[in-house]
Amino acid sequence: MNIRLRQDAIVRSLRRNGTSTISALASEVGASRRTVLRDIGALRDQGFIIHAEPGRGGGLQLDPQSVQTAPRLSIVEVFALLISVASMRAAGYLPFSKLADAGLAKIEKALPSDKVRDLRHFLDCLYVGELAPQVDLSNMGTMDPVLLPAFETAFLQRLHLRFSYRDAKGETSSRYVEPQAMLILPPLWYLVAWDPARDDFRHFRMDRISKPVCVQGATFRRRNIVFQDGVRPVKRIRR
């Protein structure tokens, strides 16, 4: 269990049980007492009010009104929210768009400057448009949840991406590409990448991509992509 998931589990346990001990929390999250103590200190730094009763029978208690004062959303989570709103706009259905924009603006303003920079770089790679009516959607699958974190690393660090790809005929191949953009044509999502083996751009449906791996080592340059009419970049955030 990574740090964030462990700390979330500690907060949930304290909210659910009212009180707990360091030993009980350590057993519940599968960590040492020392690690849980560090997590408690980190949670307090984030704004959670956690009381500790001294003595062998003492325990920890989370203030019922306690809330975190620092945002804990990762870049990929904020990006997921932004692209969800953008894809709904592209589909022509977003009944509460002003409320959604206001909520996202609050999240963006609370982000530290380094995360804002990364988010802007990530958004620079995002485009939306409308899907051609003749595209067959009968075999549309689900997207692997590991795709977005892998794309975040690949796009921000300019790393090559290796993955398995299943084409329209159901044949699977291994691809090694330079990820250049994400294209949303609701309800389909595409990875737009430069394929060195074919010396050209390729569009990969994201519901057909699996087992993505960022390849450490040589980086690549950003290439100019010429999209069809109607495709537009997502509006960049303001700070």
Side-chain angles (χ1 to χ4, degrees):
M1 185 180 296
N2 65 33
I3 295 174
R4 183 171 179 198
L5 291 177
R6 189 176 63 244
Q7 292 178 0
D8 286 343
I10 290 172
V11 171
R12 288 198 304 272
S13 179
L14 291 174
R15 288 193 189 281
R16 182 176 62 248
N17 299 322
T19 61
S20 187
T21 64
I22 295 295
S23 296
L25 289 172
S27 177
E28 184 172 346
V29 302
S32 67
R33 287 174 52 87
R34 185 185 298 273
T35 297
V36 171
L37 284 170
R38 284 200 300 267
D39 287 336
I40 295 298
L43 288 168
R44 285 170 171 158
D45 290 341
Q46 293 165 20
F48 289 102
I49 302 173
I50 302 174
H51 303 291
E53 297 180 6
R56 293 180 59 86
L60 299 171
Q61 184 175 34
L62 179 67
D63 189 311
Q65 303 301 318
S66 176
V67 294
Q68 63 189 90
T69 57
R72 302 185 68 205
L73 291 174
S74 67
I75 287 300
V76 73
E77 288 171 331
V78 177
F79 187 72
L81 289 172
L82 288 168
I83 59 180
S84 295
V85 172
S87 61
M88 291 180 70
R89 279 204 189 95
Y93 181 74
L94 189 60
F96 306 110
S97 59
K98 290 185 178 180
L99 288 175
D101 286 339
L104 288 172
K106 291 178 181 178
I107 293 174
E108 292 162 6
K109 289 179 180 178
L111 291 174
S113 58
D114 58 331
K115 285 193 174 185
V116 171
R117 182 181 62 250
D118 287 345
L119 183 59
R120 283 174 173 161
H121 289 330
F122 211 176
L123 283 173
D124 282 343
C125 302
L126 182 63
Y127 295 79
V128 295
E130 296 182 4
L131 188 67
Q134 66 269 23
V135 176
D136 182 15
L137 298 175
S138 61
N139 61 350
M140 185 174 68
T142 58
M143 288 185 288
D144 192 328
V146 303
L147 290 183
L148 204 52
F151 289 170
E152 177 198 12
T153 301
F155 280 114
L156 293 182
Q157 299 183 26
R158 297 283 179 221
L159 296 178
H160 291 81
L161 196 65
R162 192 185 304 278
F163 55 84
S164 294
Y165 189 70
R166 175 178 49 83
D167 64 19
K169 298 180 180 179
E171 298 179 356
T172 303
S173 60
S174 178
R175 299 300 182 96
Y176 176 80
V177 301
E178 301 173 1
Q180 298 287 334
M182 289 176 58
L183 174 62
I184 304 175
L185 304 177
L188 296 180
W189 295 38
Y190 293 87
L191 169 67
V192 183
W194 179 263
D195 190 334
R198 294 164 175 77
D199 197 30
D200 200 359
F201 285 105
R202 288 291 186 270
H203 287 57
F204 300 96
R205 270 179 48 171
M206 289 172 58
D207 60 315
R208 295 175 177 171
I209 297 176
S210 61
K211 302 176 182 178
V213 176
C214 294
V215 182
Q216 300 293 330
T219 59
F220 57 86
R221 62 182 175 86
R222 182 83 179 269
R223 297 175 184 268
N224 181 48
I225 307 172
V226 179
F227 288 105
Q228 296 179 346
D229 293 341
V231 173
R232 60 193 183 279
V234 170
K235 188 177 181 181
R236 294 179 61 174
I237 62 173
R238 297 185 296 271
R239 187 66 181 262

